[in-house]
């Protein structure tokens, strides 16, 4: 039996998915049920599902049967072909093993003070009067945190230059146009389009740098500059030694595979950019959504303040106190239930398989859809209501709630993100009282593959402490 297909032209489906992703998913589920197939030009068919058994199969299936590389191929031009996001099978298992130690829960204490410091410095600069958008300031904070804890940069000119380059690079890389292009062009062509301008083009006997003339090449040029910075930085660290350094990149430079081999500089570059791309926007967006909900629910804010006071008194939160903020943890979980930054995670079948009740062909992408699953009324009563209490003292099953994906590919940075978000949230709560700047409706804008609050959550600082 084959699952129902959305009977719209492929181009129109692509437009709906890019421009109105949530409405498109919701309407399709209403019409076709728990599973339905979306199809864009030049991509594999995408079977979206909120069926728990199918999600279980997707997360627990054999890595050689279920690949993610084809789903993430669009990212290759930015993150590079060695990125964990693109690897599959044994290669993925081996690379992930090398990358896991810096992201173990117990490592988080080492990053805590730096995370709090990044938040605190940003808050110092927030306007005393007038509105500003939380999404923008959280992006600043989370980028600062990544640059310091992952890349190991300290304040100074290099950090500033890196920051500027990354912001421009990520803004360009997440433009909707890239999404359209990725579904319209075969992966190979897309990669070539995005890569044009990285190297001079041979015009007869002359090599010409044509990058200034092509829109995509601005992105390539930025990336080239980022790469130059990164390779120079790694060269310096190879020469000076990294044993005493605590940052993630330095730990990755010391990692060895089972044959005792280190990662090459190109691998390190690709993984560093991967961590930046995967770990910056996601946390900034979730923090923005969390404040959006909390500012609409004064009773939740009051409880959060009471908990923080009980755990940390009036002083700053110490890294080892973070795990005691249970209500804050529940608030962030509830935020990710309602707005999982990535609304679905996919695996491409490498052979024909029976998934749930469907016989599916090789090449189909099965998308475990967190957005729809997190709204199933049988699992989540009154699903649209923001209610952190749902998570107090409860642990939902891994196939009912999966904002960080699941199985062997579950988000590598989950502990890092959860820790960072609690530290930043607590510091904001301790230092300022915010109020929404304008009446603000629940609306979602797309930024690349993530969903962000439209307008960026404009707020005003009501008071400081
Ligand atoms: C609220 C914050 C975040 C959310 C919601 C999130 C969500 C996700 C999701 C849904 C996936 C795909 C999982 C799957 O396919 O099953 C993923 C993968 C990944 N994330 Fe995150 N993420 C967050 C923060 C971070 C951070 C802070 C980092 C690192 C600093 C990070 C690094 C990664 C990496 C490396 C992968 C690829 C894992 C693999 O393929 O093995 N993420 N994340």
């Amino acid at each position: 039996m084959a699952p129902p297909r959305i009977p719209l032209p492929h181009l129109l489906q692509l437009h709906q998915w890019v421009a109105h992703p949530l409405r498109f998913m919701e309407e399709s589920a209403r019409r076709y049920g728990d599973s339905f197939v979306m199809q864009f030009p030049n991509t594999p068919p995408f079977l979206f599902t909120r069926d728990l058994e199918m999600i279980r199969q997707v997360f627990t299936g054999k890595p050689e049967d279920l690949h993610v590389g084809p789903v993430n191929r669009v990212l290759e031009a930015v993150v590079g072909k060695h990125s964990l996001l693109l690897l599959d099978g044994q290669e993925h298992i081996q690379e992930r093993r090398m990358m896991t130690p810096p992201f173990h829960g117990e490592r988080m204490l080492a990053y805590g003070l730096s995370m709090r410091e990044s938040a605190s410095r940003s808050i110092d600069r927030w306007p005393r009067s007038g509105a500003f958008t939380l999404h923008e300031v959280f992006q600043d904070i989370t980028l600062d945190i990544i640059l310091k804890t992952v890349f190991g940069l300290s304040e100074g000119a290099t950090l500033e230059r890196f920051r500027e380059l990354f912001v421009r690079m990520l803004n360009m890389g997440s433009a909707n146009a890239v999404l359209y292009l990725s579904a319209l062009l075969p992966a190979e062509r897309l990669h070539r389009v995005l890569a044009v301008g990285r190297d001079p083009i041979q015009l007869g006997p002359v090599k010409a740098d044509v990058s200034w003339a092509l829109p995509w090449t601005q992105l390539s040029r930025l990336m080239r500059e980022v790469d130059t910075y990164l390779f120079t930085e790694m060269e310096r660290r190879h020469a000076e030694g990294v044993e005493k350094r605590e940052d993630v990149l330095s730990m990755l430079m010391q990692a060895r595979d089972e044959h005792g081999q280190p990662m090459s500089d190109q691998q390190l570059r690709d993984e560093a950019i991967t961590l930046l791309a995967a770990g910056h926007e996601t946390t900034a967006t979730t923090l923005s959504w969390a404040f959006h909900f909390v500012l609409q629910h004064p009773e939740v804010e009051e409880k959060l303040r009471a908990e923080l006071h009980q755990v940390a008194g009036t002083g700053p939160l110490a890294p080892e106190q973070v795990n005691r903020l249970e209500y804050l943890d529940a608030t962030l979980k509830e935020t990710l239930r309602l707005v999982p930054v990535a609304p679905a995670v996919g695996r491409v079948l490498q052979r024909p398989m029976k998934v749930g009740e469907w016989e599916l062909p090789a090449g189909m992408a099965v998308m475990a859809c967190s957005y729809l699953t997190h709204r199933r009324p049988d699992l989540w009563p009154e699903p649209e209501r923001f209610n952190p209490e749902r998570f107090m003292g409860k642990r939902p099953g891994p196939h009912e709630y999966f904002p960080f994906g699941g199985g062997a590919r579950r988000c590598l940075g989950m502990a890092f993100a959860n820790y960072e978000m609690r530290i930043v949230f607590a510091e904001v709560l301790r230092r300022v009282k915010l109020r929404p700047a304008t009446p603000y409706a629940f609306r979602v804008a797309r930024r690349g593959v993530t969903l962000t609050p439209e307008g960026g959550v404009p707020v005003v600082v009501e008071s400081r402490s």
Side-chain angles (χ1 to χ4, degrees), residues 59 68 72 84-87 92 96 99 103 146 150 271 274-284 286-287 336 339-342 344-347 370 402-414 416-418 420-421:
F59 286 156
V68 303
N72 290 340
L84 195 64
L85 292 165
L86 297 175
L87 299 179
H92 172 262
R96 179 145 174 148
M99 291 179 71
F103 291 99
I146 294 264
V150 174
E271 297 305 12
T274 298
L275 295 172
L276 174 82
H280 154 61
E281 182 81 24
T282 41
T283 37
T286 305
L287 280 165
L336 279 168
V339 216
V341 189
V345 293
R347 308 285 187 263
S370 51
F402 48 95
F404 292 96
R409 299 208 72 123
R410 195 180 68 177
C411 174
L412 181 76
M414 186 174 86
F416 186 97
N418 281 332
E420 171 186 10
M421 291 192 295

Side-chain angles (χ1 to χ4, degrees), residues 36-38 44-48 58 67 70-71 345-349 360-368:
F36 49 85
V37 178
M38 230 184 248
F46 292 94
L47 172 59
F48 279 68
V58 165
H67 284 190
V71 181
V345 293
R347 308 285 187 263
V348 179
L349 306 188
L360 303 177
M364 182 172 260
V366 183
M367 308 295 290

Side-chain angles (χ1 to χ4, degrees), residues 71-105:
V71 181
N72 290 340
R73 194 62 58 203
V74 50
L75 304 170
E76 183 177 329
V78 174
V79 295
K81 66 172 187 283
H82 302 287
S83 165
L84 195 64
L85 292 165
L86 297 175
L87 299 179
D88 277 304
Q90 272 309 314
E91 267 189 321
H92 172 262
I93 293 173
Q94 185 162 320
E95 186 93 344
R96 179 145 174 148
R97 205 175 285 142
M98 288 174 91
M99 291 179 71
T100 299
F103 291 99
H104 270 150

Side-chain angles (χ1 to χ4, degrees), residues 376-393:
R376 276 179 51 155
D378 55 332
L379 303 175
W380 309 97
E382 294 185 87
E384 294 300 331
R385 193 157 80 88
F386 178 72
N387 176 21
E389 260 77 12
R390 297 178 202 273
F391 287 95
M392 290 299 281

Side-chain angles (χ1 to χ4, degrees), residues 6-21 23-25 27-28 31-32 37-42 180 183-184 446:
I6 301 174
L8 295 174
H10 299 174
L11 205 53
L12 184 57
Q13 294 193 46
L14 172 64
H15 174 65
Q16 295 284 12
W17 174 240
V18 175
H20 313 288
R23 202 174 68 198
F24 193 38
M25 279 188 290
E27 272 175 17
S28 305
R31 281 188 192 180
Y32 309 110
V37 178
M38 230 184 248
Q39 174 78 65
F40 313 136
N42 272 319
Y180 279 115
L184 290 170
R446 187 189 265 292

